[in-house]
Amino acid sequence: MMKGDLHLHSTYSDGSATVIELIQQALSRGLTHIAITDHDRVPRCGDIPPVTTLKVMPGIEISAYDFQGRRKAHILGYAMRDTRAVTAFCRPLLERRQANSLRQIALLAEHGFRIRPQHFVKRAGHVIYKQHIMEYLVATEQVEEMFGSFYQETFKNGGYCDFDIEYLEAAAAVRVITEAGGLAVLAHPGQQHNLDLVPELVKLGLKGIELEHRKNTEADKAAIRAIAGQYGLFLSGGSDYHGTLEDSSSEPGSCLATEAAVQLIFNNNSDK
């Protein structure tokens, strides 16, 4: 029996677990297949150690946006043959994210916090996220908790660090994954309320929709199944695990992809 979690984040983006730790957790939970889908960065083959009883795929979650509808539309990518174009496509976004975080760090320092960019030079992915900033402030006992009142007042709701970056165009994200020989999947549409984008994204190569996700309601799932059936899309799934760097109780394996999706994605990968 295949048990696949196809949506996991590591320390290469905004997850708290290393790739090795994710593998260990997956094995302890009896998973057979996982995909590492860090934001805007594809793990190198050397990042993933060989494992005999667990199949591990390097994937990606592109932080994309529907500019016409003014909403997020994240795109997952699997089984890409050549990731160089995908890496080049995402590089400007990573640079914007780093500049954004450095600005937030500077503002925090101006407000009296003991924080400098040098405190983050050992980040595995070399890009700082606001979750990393909060993690540091909690670890140094300057803030009591990760997602408490300070976070809400400073990084959300018009706080002095409440500003974001321009994401990548969702249609272009689907296209670049498809041109790389990969399978593009619309991530957690119940969370970002963008299921109506499917007809246009299918024209650009969209192959699947994430069905099993903690932010998809039963009503969302019914709508996902209906539109997936209409356009011949496969149904994926995963925990979207970030560990301690997200205000969530998800664990690897808490949401699983269908066996058909696992087989399709990993067979597509083995053909390359």
Side-chain angles (χ1 to χ4, degrees):
M1 178 180 177
M2 293 182 176
K3 294 180 64 178
D5 187 334
L6 304 183
H7 195 162
L8 297 166
H9 295 275
S10 79
T11 52
Y12 284 106
S13 66
D14 56 345
S16 63
T18 65
V19 170
I20 292 176
E21 289 169 340
L22 285 178
I23 289 172
Q24 292 170 337
Q25 291 180 53
L27 287 169
S28 71
R29 289 168 171 79
L31 301 183
T32 62
H33 297 72
I34 64 171
I36 311 295
T37 54
D38 282 314
H39 284 285
D40 315 310
R41 181 186 185 278
V42 183
R44 300 181 300 271
C45 291
D47 297 335
I48 300 175
V51 185
T52 56
T53 58
L54 178 71
K55 301 295 185 184
V56 184
M57 175 178 290
I60 194 169
E61 182 178 8
I62 298 181
S63 304
Y65 198 78
D66 167 33
F67 288 93
Q68 183 174 353
R70 302 179 67 179
R71 56 198 165 164
K72 294 179 179 180
H74 289 190
I75 307 296
L76 292 156
Y78 303 104
M80 292 166 284
R81 181 179 298 110
D82 185 347
T83 60
R84 288 176 293 182
V86 178
T87 297
F89 176 72
C90 293
R91 186 174 297 116
L93 174 58
L94 292 175
E95 292 171 352
R96 290 196 292 270
R97 191 182 297 281
Q98 180 74 353
N100 192 71
S101 295
L102 291 175
R103 180 184 169 196
Q104 290 171 330
I105 289 170
L107 286 169
L108 288 165
E110 289 178 10
H111 283 77
F113 289 92
R114 304 183 306 279
I115 188 168
R116 300 171 64 191
Q118 291 87 333
H119 296 142
F120 302 90
V121 294
K122 294 184 179 180
R123 292 292 334 163
H126 307 294
V127 174
I128 305 168
Y129 289 70
K130 63 177 177 287
Q131 292 93 330
H132 300 145
I133 296 172
M134 285 300 306
E135 180 184 43
Y136 176 80
L137 293 174
V138 172
T140 54
E141 299 182 342
Q142 299 183 73
V143 173
E144 289 187 1
E145 55 184 332
M146 281 284 292
F147 301 104
S149 59
F150 175 81
Y151 177 80
Q152 295 297 327
E153 293 168 3
T154 305
F155 289 90
K156 302 289 184 180
N157 304 306
Y160 59 84
C161 286
D162 182 14
F163 46 85
D164 212 339
I165 57 177
E166 181 176 304
Y167 280 13
L168 300 165
E169 171 61 49
V174 171
R175 185 186 299 112
V176 74
I177 290 170
T178 302
E179 290 176 350
L183 301 172
V185 172
L186 180 64
H188 41 64
Q191 180 183 20
Q192 298 178 338
H193 309 294
N194 52 28
L195 201 57
D196 58 303
L197 290 175
V198 166
E200 288 302 313
L201 295 181
V202 165
K203 295 176 184 177
L204 299 167
L206 187 76
K207 291 295 188 291
I209 308 175
E210 191 170 45
L211 173 70
E212 295 300 334
H213 186 279
R214 52 193 160 79
K215 294 294 180 69
N216 288 341
T217 66
E218 290 305 313
D220 293 328
K221 291 179 182 180
I224 290 168
R225 289 189 184 97
I227 199 166
Q230 181 180 353
Y231 289 95
L233 304 176
F234 72 86
L235 299 171
S236 186
S239 61
D240 199 0
Y241 178 66
H242 291 74
T244 61
L245 297 189
E246 185 172 84
D247 188 11
S248 168
S249 59
S250 73
E251 296 290 343
S254 57
C255 288
L256 297 175
T258 64
E259 286 200 40
V262 174
Q263 189 169 26
L264 173 66
I265 288 172
F266 279 83
N267 283 352
N268 192 69
N269 191 57
S270 65
D271 292 339
K272 298 172 182 176

